[in-house]
Amino acid sequence: MYIFSFRNSDPQTWMQHSNTNIKRSQAERAKSATLRKELEAMWSACVNDMWTQFNRVNTSISDRRHEYEEARSRAQQNLSRVMTEIVDMEKNIDLLNKAMRDLQAPLQVAQTRLRTRLGRPKVELCHDPAHQRLLYETVEIQQTIQELNSKLLQAENVLQELLETRARLQQDLEVKSNSIFVDRERCLGIRKSFPMSFVRLITY
């Protein structure tokens, strides 16, 4: 004899149960579809934002690199001018040294003549025009040598400053060249392609 149990179902309850499961499944699928659309929209917005930032960073790096290249070009031009000034100043120093050496012989001659005339006895030691001229010539040569020596010291100071400027410019060029290399090769080099790709989420 068959005994009916509440665990069993009749066609009506079975249909109701099946319809309920179907409706629940449809509702869950609808929620899932909505969530997938929201996720796709969020992912698309994220990728777009990243792409925008990626381009902005690349543009900023490129602009900065151009600034460095322009600054390096100016520094190279300044260095070239400084090198020319160093060569000119070294020539001036050589000319000043030569001029002072060339004046030593005339000075010695004038001093010798003056000492010789000062050796004359008594009244013969006359401060005549020739004697005055020898005194003037000796003092004039000595003053010229002093002026040349002063100019030499100034030229040597300027040369030292130029050498220090050259060293600073060379160091600055080295730093700028390294910065350009880093931006061009190491930064932009690894940023040639966008590191993310838009992958559409799987829809059913």
Side-chain angles (χ1 to χ4, degrees):
M1 176 173 139
Y2 177 77
I3 301 175
F4 179 81
S5 173
F6 287 105
R7 295 180 180 178
N8 300 124
S9 64
D10 56 24
Q12 184 177 358
T13 57
W14 175 84
M15 182 61 70
Q16 290 175 351
H17 179 74
S18 297
N19 289 338
T20 300
N21 286 337
I22 291 173
K23 290 179 180 179
R24 183 181 295 117
S25 173
Q26 290 175 341
E28 294 300 329
R29 289 180 61 193
K31 288 181 181 180
S32 177
T34 301
L35 180 59
R36 284 198 303 272
K37 289 180 180 179
E38 292 176 352
L39 288 175
E40 286 183 356
M42 183 182 68
W43 177 247
S44 178
C46 177
V47 171
N48 289 336
D49 288 342
M50 291 294 296
W51 175 253
T52 299
Q53 291 301 322
F54 177 80
N55 287 330
R56 287 176 178 173
V57 171
N58 283 354
T59 300
S60 296
I61 294 175
S62 296
D63 291 344
R64 187 59 175 161
R65 189 193 69 188
H66 291 320
E67 291 175 1
Y68 270 115
E69 289 174 345
E70 291 176 359
R72 183 178 65 176
S73 177
R74 290 194 298 270
Q76 288 173 334
Q77 293 174 0
N78 288 333
L79 178 60
S80 178
R81 287 193 287 267
V82 167
M83 296 293 289
T84 300
E85 291 176 7
I86 287 175
V87 173
D88 291 342
M89 191 56 62
E90 288 174 340
K91 291 179 180 178
N92 289 336
I93 290 174
D94 290 341
L95 290 174
L96 288 169
N97 282 318
K98 183 179 184 303
M100 287 190 293
R101 288 195 302 270
D102 291 344
L103 286 174
Q104 292 301 317
L107 177 62
Q108 289 176 359
V109 171
Q111 289 175 335
T112 299
R113 289 176 177 176
L114 184 60
R115 283 195 300 270
T116 299
R117 287 183 64 86
L118 289 174
R120 292 181 300 174
K122 298 181 181 181
V123 296
E124 292 299 321
L125 185 58
C126 178
H127 291 281
D128 54 13
H131 182 80
Q132 296 294 331
R133 185 61 191 171
L134 280 173
L135 283 174
Y136 176 78
E137 182 182 15
T138 302
V139 171
E140 184 179 31
I141 294 175
Q142 289 174 335
Q143 288 179 345
T144 300
I145 292 175
Q146 290 178 353
E147 291 175 358
L148 290 173
N149 189 62
S150 177
K151 294 296 183 183
L152 176 62
L153 292 176
Q154 293 178 15
E156 289 175 341
N157 289 334
V158 171
L159 177 61
Q160 184 60 36
E161 292 175 356
L162 287 171
L163 293 174
E164 293 173 357
T165 299
R166 181 185 65 181
R168 287 195 300 270
L169 287 172
Q170 289 173 335
Q171 183 180 10
D172 187 48
L173 277 172
E174 183 178 351
V175 171
K176 284 181 171 56
S177 295
N178 182 67
S179 297
I180 292 171
F181 172 79
V182 170
D183 283 351
R184 183 182 62 239
E185 302 298 332
R186 296 188 178 179
C187 291
L188 291 178
I190 63 177
R191 295 175 62 89
K192 290 181 179 179
S193 60
F194 187 49
M196 296 178 64
S197 60
F198 178 78
V199 179
R200 183 176 179 83
L201 298 180
I202 299 175
T203 57
Y204 299 94

